[in-house]
């Protein structure tokens, strides 16, 4: 069954927790100040769409496709991006709260996370080559067997990354946050 195609529509201040979003292919659509919390967005397609000031916490995105999608000022707690369709997956996050979300085993090359909270996010086995974590809080984020080559952590903070279990060649870090690479050794480091 093919999906209906909805193009260039704007959705403002709608509550999709009560009236679910129609399962369709959305192209060049803008969702502003909408509530998708705990909603079923499974098997939908979003192409070149923008989500601005939306709540997508705990939404079901199983099998959904996100291609060239931008999330700005969105609350997205506990979203399982690892369950979405990863074909052509391209997302930018700006000023988003992504705590407890999962990107397990996803290919996130050149992804951009800007001014976002990524507390306890699971990046296990994700390919984050050339990803940018600009001014992001990574408290408790899990990096295990992740490819972080040439990723930019210059302005990221509160991360703890084990260099022995992740690929870090060419990654960018700054002082003093770079001490997060030594956390597993329980060292006491004085910053002068």
């Amino acid at each position: 069954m093919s999906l209906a195609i909805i193009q260039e529509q704007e959705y403002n201040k709608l509550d999709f927790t009560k009236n679910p979003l129609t399962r369709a292919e959305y192209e060049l659509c803008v969702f502003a100040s909408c509530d998708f919390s705990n909603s079923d967005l499974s098997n939908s397609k979003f192409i070149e769409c923008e989500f601005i000031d939306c709540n997508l916490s705990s939404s079901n995105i199983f099998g959904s496709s996100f291609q060239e999608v931008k999330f700005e000022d969105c609350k997205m707690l506990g979203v399982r991006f690892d369950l979405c369709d990863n074909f052509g997956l391209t997302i930018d996050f700006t000023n988003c709260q992504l705590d407890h979300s999962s990107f397990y085993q996803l290919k996130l090359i050149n992804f951009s996370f800007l001014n976002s909270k990524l507390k306890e996010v699971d990046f296990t086995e994700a390919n984050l080559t050339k990803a940018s974590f600009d001014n992001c809080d990574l408290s408790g984020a899990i990096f295990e067997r992740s490819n972080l080559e040439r990723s930019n952590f210059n302005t990221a903070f509160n991360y703890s990354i084990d260099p022995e279990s992740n690929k870090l060649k060419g990654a960018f870090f700054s002082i003093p946050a770079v001490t997060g690479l030594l956390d597993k050794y329980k060292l006491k480091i004085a910053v002068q």
Side-chain angles (χ1 to χ4, degrees), residues 140-156:
I142 302 166
F143 294 97
E144 188 68 34
R145 297 177 308 283
S146 305
N147 186 343
L148 304 170
E149 295 178 327
R150 294 174 300 199
S151 289
N152 190 338
F153 290 89
N154 268 337
T155 57

Side-chain angles (χ1 to χ4, degrees), residues 12-56:
N12 292 299
K13 298 181 181 176
L14 297 176
D15 186 347
F16 292 108
T17 63
K18 295 178 180 159
N19 298 310
L21 183 69
T22 303
R23 188 167 284 124
E25 180 175 313
Y26 295 88
E27 296 179 11
L28 299 164
C29 293
V30 176
F31 299 89
S33 301
C34 295
D35 189 357
F36 295 94
S37 57
N38 296 301
S39 294
D40 185 3
L41 301 174
S42 63
N43 299 307
S44 291
K45 290 187 179 184
F46 300 94
I47 302 167
E48 295 183 62
C49 292
E50 291 182 59
F51 290 82
I52 303 164
D53 193 31
C54 293
N55 184 355
L56 292 103

Side-chain angles (χ1 to χ4, degrees), residues 90-159:
T90 345
I91 304 174
D92 285 328
F93 299 97
T94 303
N95 299 320
C96 291
Q97 188 174 2
L98 291 147
D99 301 352
H100 307 286
S101 292
S102 177
F103 295 91
Y104 175 71
Q105 290 187 329
L106 286 178
K107 187 175 180 180
L108 307 171
I109 297 170
N110 287 316
F111 263 52
S112 175
F113 298 91
L114 174 63
N115 297 324
S116 294
K117 292 181 181 173
L118 299 152
K119 295 180 180 179
E120 299 185 31
V121 169
D122 187 1
F123 289 110
T124 302
E125 297 180 16
N127 184 344
L128 290 152
T129 302
K130 295 183 182 177
S132 177
F133 294 92
D134 192 6
N135 197 35
C136 289
D137 185 351
L138 293 161
S139 300
I142 302 166
F143 294 97
E144 188 68 34
R145 297 177 308 283
S146 305
N147 186 343
L148 304 170
E149 295 178 327
R150 294 174 300 199
S151 289
N152 190 338
F153 290 89
N154 268 337
T155 57
F157 52 95
N158 295 329
Y159 54 81

